[in-house]
Amino acid sequence: MALDWLSGIKDIAELITGLGKKIKSDKATKDLLLRELRINIKAFETAQKSEKIDYDRLLGLLKNDTIKQARKDRFSFNTVKSGHLTETDIRDERNNRYKGKDCGWVFKNIDEKIEDLQNQQQYHGSLNSVDKANIALQFSNLFYKMKLLADFIRD
């Protein structure tokens, strides 16, 4: 009769199923985030091989769907890599301003920058014809954030 209290709990199967889904989805989300980051970095590599970079095409190759979904699902990005960026994590001087930020902040910032570029493209029709926004610098900053995140996660 020591287990009588256990029979009163009706949701055990749901608890187990829910935890199983959580474990699987967190791992799956982490894998998808890393895949998306890798694909985005490869998009820059593809663009680098051409004589002139077509910013509209490059933006078309960049993905942020997984980051958006993870944010919507309240995924803890720090499960990808915990801790904060330190001087030893930063290999490019231009990224020093991100010292103290965490993995979640960098993922979210990358997502917001991709969306910002998409909005600019939608407004102007083409990023290739925008003069005053220094689109090249915006893409460069985005790439170096992705590189920073990849270096941080890898170490």
Side-chain angles (χ1 to χ4, degrees):
M1 295 304 164
L3 297 178
D4 284 345
W5 61 272
L6 195 56
S7 62
I9 302 174
K10 299 172 182 148
D11 301 334
I12 291 180
E14 287 179 35
L15 287 171
I16 293 169
T17 303
L19 285 174
K21 285 180 183 174
K22 177 75 173 157
I23 291 166
K24 288 177 186 172
S25 68
D26 279 357
K27 185 174 183 200
T29 300
K30 179 181 172 181
D31 289 345
L32 289 171
L33 286 167
L34 295 176
R35 179 180 181 274
E36 189 169 82
L37 179 61
R38 191 170 39 251
I39 288 169
N40 285 342
I41 290 172
K42 285 183 178 184
F44 279 94
E45 182 182 44
T46 299
Q48 182 187 36
K49 293 176 183 175
S50 63
E51 288 183 31
K52 184 178 182 231
I53 295 178
D54 182 327
Y55 295 113
D56 293 323
R57 285 186 178 177
L58 176 55
L59 182 60
L61 295 175
L62 297 177
K63 308 292 181 221
N64 64 335
D65 298 330
T66 303
I67 300 172
K68 281 198 267 189
Q69 186 61 48
R71 289 178 85 170
K72 191 183 293 184
D73 294 343
R74 298 185 182 267
F75 175 77
S76 175
F77 289 92
N78 293 331
T79 60
V80 175
K81 171 81 181 224
S82 62
H84 293 81
L85 291 162
T86 64
E87 285 182 38
T88 57
D89 297 315
I90 299 170
R91 297 192 174 102
D92 300 293
E93 194 174 306
R94 68 191 293 164
N95 285 333
N96 281 332
R97 61 185 165 200
Y98 305 125
K99 189 172 78 172
K101 304 293 185 187
D102 64 8
C103 189
W105 184 90
V106 181
F107 266 114
K108 291 172 187 175
N109 193 272
I110 288 169
D111 173 47
E112 290 165 6
K113 190 60 200 172
I114 291 172
E115 280 201 30
D116 177 49
L117 287 165
Q118 289 169 341
N119 289 340
Q120 289 182 63
Q121 182 186 45
Q122 189 173 18
Y123 182 81
H124 295 288
S126 173
L127 295 175
N128 295 315
S129 60
V130 178
D131 293 330
K132 296 181 181 180
N134 202 347
I135 297 297
L137 180 61
Q138 291 183 49
F139 273 98
S140 174
N141 288 340
L142 176 58
F143 171 75
Y144 276 94
K145 276 183 213 160
M146 290 179 184
K147 183 180 178 307
L148 171 68
L149 182 58
D151 288 340
F152 180 59
I153 292 169
R154 228 179 8 179
D155 291 342

